[in-house]
Amino acid sequence: MEKWVSMPKVELHAHLNGSIRDSTLLELARDLGEKGVVVFSDFEHVIQKDDRSLTEVFKLFDLIHIVTTDHQIITRITKEVIEDFAAENVVYLELRTTPKKNDSIGMSKRSYLGAVLEGIKAVSTVDVDFRPHDAVVRIPKNSPPIYDTCNGSTRKKIYVRLLLSIDRRGTTEAAMETVNLALEMRDLGVVGIDLSGNPIVGDWSTYLPALKFAREQGLYITLHCGEVPNPKEVRSMLDFLPQRIGHACCFEEAEWEKLKSSSIPVEICLTSNIRTNTIPSLDIHHFADLYSAKHPLVLCTDDSGVFSTSLSNEYNLAASAFGLGRREIFQLTRNAVEFIFAGDGVKRELKEIFSSAEQKLDQ
Ligand code: 6MZ
């Protein structure tokens, strides 16, 4: 695993509440169990279950959301998630989360996001680049890549950008509210919009007005696409031409052709697809076909907590399942820099990081 851990990585598909450490989730559930708010054994059972169907995963999210509805907890999990990704040398992280409201504890969607931002500021093991004006700020020419020197000590650095998720369970108004929040928080590092949530719920036409508006306003857009069979929706999504899509599991021949001719990059989440049985086994996973067609791809975790994985583990899995070497996985990641939701300044800096890491690849 060490060779995958030490490699610089970009993570473009990670849901905040799906990426919570197991230990933190169990601790939070135990606390609420003691207060009589939840039944701890319900959590223990689901959290420790390895195999979950897509439906069970969404039940688990409902449980997770019960223990994470508190500003301080949101701040804590955000901090931990970023520190965990940084610890395995993720150098650029796009974290996505669904803004939540809970009147009983005075949480608005805005204050939820405020708690997320506090979590980003609270990161202490690594320097976080969360600057909105990518193109303006530059790392000084001679400073070493990935690392910033701070108070005389060499510190690791991670770029973090936020995407706000539109939940498929919501209305057009709720989707519009999410886009407006993203616009309001643009200067605070929110760069785009994701459409996610239970894929068997909701209709594309509900979210389309908000997504169109987001695009007009210059926000980047990524869509969960084809997680379950729904050819009509998949076609509409591809016609919309988002900057990226996630999963692309249940496509038919016509949709593969459309995708390949569009060159829309795909966020691939191997463990997630297998665990939810969206794809029965890795030997028939569409990664292989898209990779050999040179379609733009990026390996991602989706929900590292829920699926007990890490980005290093996903790289390892892809390498062994598809017979790829270290250089090929490295090149795949390096290519993904082209489709991150950040400006040319950040892309240039990341390319420098990869160039310098390439020299050490064969050591
Ligand atoms: C679709 C998913 C997902 O937003 O509360 N989410 N949506 N497909 C998936 N594949 C398994 N995994 C996670 O993070 C959790 C939320 O992200 C979405 C769901 O809406 C889930 O409730 P946040 O931080």
Side-chain angles (χ1 to χ4, degrees):
M1 276 302 280
E2 176 45 36
K3 66 180 175 191
W4 306 118
V5 173
S6 60
M7 187 180 277
K9 291 178 277 297
V10 298
E11 170 60 84
L12 304 187
H13 188 134
H15 297 270
L16 176 61
N17 279 284
S19 308
I20 306 173
R21 292 177 191 161
D22 270 4
S23 57
T24 298
L25 201 51
L26 284 169
E27 180 194 322
L28 296 173
R30 196 171 289 120
D31 282 356
L32 283 188
E34 278 163 15
K35 290 179 191 148
V37 181
V38 299
V39 179
F40 177 65
S41 56
D42 288 355
F43 276 82
E44 207 179 15
H45 173 70
V46 199
I47 290 168
Q48 289 171 351
K49 196 166 175 232
D50 263 357
D51 237 6
R52 295 184 192 99
S53 67
L54 201 56
T55 309
E56 282 176 321
V57 163
F58 284 98
K59 276 195 198 137
L60 176 58
F61 281 124
D62 288 342
L63 281 180
I64 291 175
H65 290 143
I66 297 174
V67 294
T68 59
T69 38
D70 173 303
H71 291 107
Q72 279 166 350
I73 292 173
I74 297 297
T75 297
R76 171 182 170 179
I77 61 172
T78 307
K79 172 183 185 288
E80 291 181 354
V81 167
I82 296 170
E83 291 184 347
D84 288 352
F85 276 116
E88 58 159 339
N89 288 308
V90 169
V91 290
Y92 177 89
L93 165 66
E94 278 173 23
L95 203 52
R96 53 186 80 186
T97 194
T98 323
K100 291 170 195 72
K101 166 173 150 48
N102 182 353
D103 292 336
S104 68
I105 55 153
M107 180 186 278
S108 64
K109 291 186 176 182
R110 193 172 281 108
S111 74
Y112 171 91
L113 292 172
V116 172
L117 294 177
E118 282 307 309
I120 296 173
K121 283 192 221 146
V123 170
S124 57
T125 57
V126 60
D127 287 337
V128 181
D129 180 306
F130 195 57
R131 296 168 302 213
H133 302 295
D134 300 323
V136 183
V137 193
R138 296 266 184 279
I139 295 179
K141 238 190 160 162
N142 295 326
S143 71
I146 330 187
Y147 300 99
D148 270 358
T149 303
C150 173
N151 298 332
S153 64
T154 305
R155 298 254 303 164
K156 236 183 187 179
K157 174 176 168 176
I158 184 169
Y159 295 86
V160 179
R161 297 294 182 268
L162 266 187
L163 310 183
L164 303 193
S165 301
I166 293 175
D167 186 339
R168 295 185 64 109
R169 284 177 298 190
T171 59
T172 302
E173 291 69 37
M176 201 59 100
E177 189 186 355
T178 302
V179 173
N180 279 321
L181 275 171
L183 292 171
E184 200 180 292
M185 303 184 81
R186 243 178 174 176
D187 285 345
L188 299 169
V190 175
V191 293
I193 294 290
D194 155 56
L195 173 66
S196 58
N198 193 339
I200 59 169
V201 173
D203 190 84
W204 168 246
S205 61
T206 309
Y207 329 111
L208 188 58
L211 292 167
K212 276 186 178 158
F213 177 61
R215 181 156 62 197
E216 277 159 27
Q217 296 299 312
L219 288 167
Y220 294 99
I221 295 170
T222 177
L223 306 171
H224 281 61
C225 179
E227 240 183 324
V228 291
N230 189 345
K232 188 168 164 261
E233 181 177 275
V234 167
R235 277 195 295 276
S236 305
M237 285 183 168
L238 295 178
D239 283 340
F240 180 75
L241 291 177
Q243 273 89 7
R244 297 196 308 251
I245 58 169
H247 297 295
C249 298
C250 307
F251 278 32
E252 289 169 7
E253 209 37 56
E255 283 87 59
W256 287 126
E257 272 171 35
K258 205 172 175 63
L259 173 70
K260 286 178 187 166
S261 66
S262 73
S263 294
I264 298 169
V266 183
E267 302 151 0
I268 297 278
C269 310
L270 297 175
T271 299
S272 164
N273 296 161
I274 296 301
R275 289 277 173 89
T276 57
N277 208 17
T278 328
I279 302 286
S281 67
L282 283 182
D283 53 320
I284 52 162
H285 196 284
H286 46 289
F287 175 94
D289 177 54
L290 291 175
Y291 183 80
S292 60
K294 298 195 170 22
H295 191 86
L297 297 175
V298 58
L299 292 167
C300 305
T301 54
D302 203 7
D303 300 291
S304 55
V306 167
F307 300 121
S308 304
T309 189
S310 65
L311 196 52
S312 308
N313 188 49
E314 296 302 301
Y315 283 26
N316 188 33
L317 206 59
S320 54
F322 308 112
L324 301 178
R326 207 173 170 193
R327 271 198 178 270
E328 287 156 313
I329 296 279
F330 179 86
Q331 196 53 44
L332 185 76
T333 311
R334 185 192 230 173
N335 293 346
V337 171
E338 284 309 329
F339 40 88
I340 62 169
F341 292 171
D344 290 344
V346 174
K347 285 184 183 167
R348 213 171 9 252
E349 288 165 16
L350 289 172
K351 283 177 190 165
E352 281 171 24
I353 290 170
F354 280 95
S355 294
S356 100
E358 188 179 24
Q359 292 155 20
K360 298 183 204 127
L361 216 54
D362 297 323
Q363 284 170 11

